[in-house]
Amino acid sequence: MSISLNEEVTPIEPDAALILDHLPGLVWTTDETGTISYCNSRFGEYAGIDFGLSHPSHWARVLHPDDAVFAVQYGQNARRTKRRRVINARLRRKDGEFRWFELAGSPLADDGRICWLATERRESANDRTQEDIEGGFRRFLNSLSLSALLISPGLELEFANQAALRWYGFLPESSAQEASADREPRKLDEILLPLKAYMEGEQTPVFSYQAQHADGTLRWLEAQVVPVIEKSGELTNYCVLQNDVQDSRDAAYLLGKEMEMLDMVARGTPSASVLQKLCNVVEDLIPDLFCCFLELSLDRKFFRMGAAPRLPSEFREIFDQKSVASDKNACSFAALTKKAVEIQNLLESDYRHTSMGQFMLANRLNYCHAIPILSPYGNTAGIFAILRHQYTELKPRERQIVDRAAHIAGISIDRTRHEEALVKRETQFKRSQAQLVAAQRISSTGSFTSDVQRDENIWSEEFYRIFDLDPEVEPSIDAVRERIHPEDLELFDVEMQRGLAGEGSDFVFRIIRTDASVRFIRGLAKVTHYIGDHPVFMGTVQDITETKRAEDAIRRSEEALLKAREELAYVSRAMTISALTTSIAHEVSQPLSGILANANACVRLLALDPPDIASAADTARRTIRDTMRATEVVKRLRAMFKRQSPTMEDIDLNEIAREVIALSARDMRERSIVLESRLASGLPSVRGDRIQLQQVILNLVLNGIEAMAEIEGWPRRLLVLTSREEDMLTLSIVDAGVGIAADSAERLFEPFFTTKRNGMGIGLSVSRSIIENHGGHMWATPNDGPGTTVAFSIPRSPPLAQSV
Ligand code: ADP
């Protein structure tokens, strides 16, 4: 057995060493760090340590780990307290077995040295039980997940269970057996103050206090003190059971803040204030963090600064009112892609070239996490960015805080966006409302919505004005009814009945305003939807009095024009026919003289003896024939002269052309005009007035005849042509007369244009208006050879015929 000493330690006298070796206990000394500076041979033997060969060793290595802390703590406190102390602890025998010893520690000097004397506890049955009880109790405490400390009435720490050692950081998981100089049992001092207060009756057995956790942070613990009393009634220890309540405190704090902020959102606090507060909370709870919120404009094209209370103001300039796409930084990228962007080391990232990157570098911020804030509809409403000087992984609790903050920001921003959209829509609505009112005013149109069955109505401002009703009047059908002209009341009621049956209506009625003026109103209504089975109408009322008056005036002048035109047509017809007088006289006088001659012959033949009956009958028949012929001519003339309003009928164009030709054939013969008619076969009928159309044809024929009156040198030839092109039938009169200049073709149709000495110049103008009234048109063209072609086209009978 050798005794070895550390070089730094003063050697012990050999005699003294011998004496110490013979003591029935283990003796050793430790320095202020707990390193063994001397030990007797019994200690070396028991622990199996050859201090001569080994390195200086910390005495805690021979302690049972459960007993280490308070023993070490005593060592550290001894210098200060200079108190002798007796501790029960287990020491490891060289074969690894722990045995209970009573350790008496005595501070040697001010330098922190302690002399330890350990005597093994006697193996009496009583002691054994006592040790078992103590060991069992400590084992029980070790099995708890709560931190448990045993503290003596003298406020010395006797024991700390595994959970406490872990919490305080005395027990790194991997080297639970390793006694280390890093241990700072002094950390446990924080409990002593409240415990002392408890002992003095100034504190309840349950209290909260803050202590330093293994990670260096201060955390809240909830402690409960239980006095440990032995069978003998002696109070041996205080057992302090403690629970780390920091997380639940944080959660409660966060929940409180969350409620506070949701309340702000609900009260309509502007998102900027809510976001500012959120930043403060997050920055409070997570150390070394810079928060910022960016909002997106309604069209998501621009950033708007939300809040960034801890960042310099240049940050605002980078984003506020700036296009999302302009600077391709982390926030822009997150906004455009809806994906979070994390930059752990800005210096190694391309993002450092962006203006946000430059800002971060200038402020020594090397870490950024841009998280898109999504609206409930999945659109990006903003960005939550957290910046740090360097990358530190967020703890689960911190991640939860960040997620909650992003969530609340989402609600707040979403609300602001909705309000903004609402205001925008309201403004638009007000503007269009104002426009509608103006438009109704300008067009004298009022609008209404009406549930006729329930007599529930909404009237526009202009509606009130048109009906000359006080804007205070409650809308009702009766209020309108009171204004209706008595003669139109029946009509109005019929239309209301139609309304009740769910039909739309469009009708004109009169109202009498308070100044007794009568106004014409056009009412238009359509069923737009149903409430239950009630049809709801929307409609308009338009004051059409002015329009109606103008229309009446137009109608009256049109009637006057029509009358004038008819007069003119009559005159023109009379003149046309007077031009045929000779011919007509001849037509009539010829059968008359025939009748006379035949009647005379008949008388003579009957006067013969015997009378020549057969010849007389023959002459009588010729008389009848001539009479009929004359009657026919007179009838035709009378028809032509008759002044009657137009009657529309289906007419064979060829047939009326033939009748006109027949009427003027003799005239032509006398003027040596060769008539040629090329009437197309199978023509459909035209719809029109027979007399009017005959007048037109006769007019053209006579003009042709007159145009050829004086020509010499080429044959006088008049061609009457009919043809069809699709639904239009054309009649052309081609003469070989004096012709017209190409540029005066239109002048012929001007009223009172004439080149004839006795001409009136109304024939063609009247003819054209007749044709146009039949839905057709009329024109004149110079022929390639001599003469003119004057023609008209009119549509065939229905389906395409037009009424005059
Ligand atoms: P009026 O026969 O009384 O003159 P119209 O209106 O029938 O009235 O004709 C107007 C003018 O058009 C005629 O005076 C004549 O100069 C010219 N005109 C009409 N038909 C022909 C024709 N077939 N050839 C040449 N000129 C014509």
Side-chain angles (χ1 to χ4, degrees), residues 699 703 707 735 738-740 748 753-756 759-764 788:
N699 198 4
N703 274 348
D735 65 51
V738 290
I740 52 166
L748 312 194
F753 170 78
T754 182
T755 54
K756 298 168 193 167
M760 278 275 284
I762 53 168
L764 283 181
T788 314

Side-chain angles (χ1 to χ4, degrees), residues 235-295:
L235 177 117
T236 51
N237 280 315
Y238 290 100
C239 178
V240 182
L241 294 167
Q242 48 190 24
N243 197 6
D244 184 330
V245 291
Q246 187 65 47
D247 285 351
S248 56
R249 271 192 172 227
D250 282 354
Y253 173 77
L254 198 64
L255 196 69
K257 288 289 170 195
E258 235 181 275
M259 297 298 284
E260 205 178 296
M261 274 175 289
L262 287 175
D263 186 50
M264 281 168 84
V265 175
R267 275 188 284 111
T269 312
S271 57
S273 313
V274 178
L275 298 178
Q276 171 105 8
K277 191 136 195 170
L278 267 177
C279 284
N280 295 338
V281 171
V282 176
E283 285 166 349
D284 264 5
L285 292 172
I286 309 177
D288 308 320
L289 196 80
F290 297 82
C291 288
C292 96
F293 284 103
L294 298 172
E295 293 181 46

Side-chain angles (χ1 to χ4, degrees), residues 133-208:
I133 291 170
E134 219 169 306
F137 183 49
R138 291 184 184 189
R139 267 198 304 283
F140 161 72
L141 292 182
N142 271 336
S143 70
L144 297 179
S145 57
L146 294 173
S147 296
L149 305 171
L150 287 177
I151 296 170
S152 72
L155 291 178
E156 300 285 353
L157 181 71
E158 302 260 299
F159 173 76
N161 75 348
Q162 295 288 308
L165 295 175
R166 257 195 305 275
W167 196 90
Y168 286 105
F170 298 147
L171 193 65
E173 303 293 316
S174 54
S175 54
Q177 306 297 321
E178 275 294 314
S180 142
D182 293 343
R183 290 179 172 178
E184 290 176 50
R186 200 169 284 182
K187 279 184 180 176
L188 300 173
D189 289 354
E190 289 144 352
I191 181 67
L192 299 182
L193 215 64
L195 186 61
K196 198 160 170 261
Y198 163 74
M199 289 175 191
E200 288 161 7
E202 288 166 10
Q203 177 76 272
T204 56
V206 178
F207 53 85
S208 299

Side-chain angles (χ1 to χ4, degrees), residues 338-373:
K338 296 188 194 172
K339 288 191 182 117
V341 177
E342 189 176 26
I343 308 166
Q344 296 192 352
N345 185 0
L346 181 65
L347 286 170
E348 287 173 6
S349 148
D350 286 345
Y351 283 110
R352 69 180 183 281
H353 302 300
T354 62
S355 42
M356 180 185 171
Q358 294 297 308
F359 164 86
M360 286 175 63
L361 289 179
N363 289 281
R364 290 185 291 107
L365 294 163
N366 204 28
Y367 171 81
C368 166
H369 192 182
I371 304 156
I373 299 170

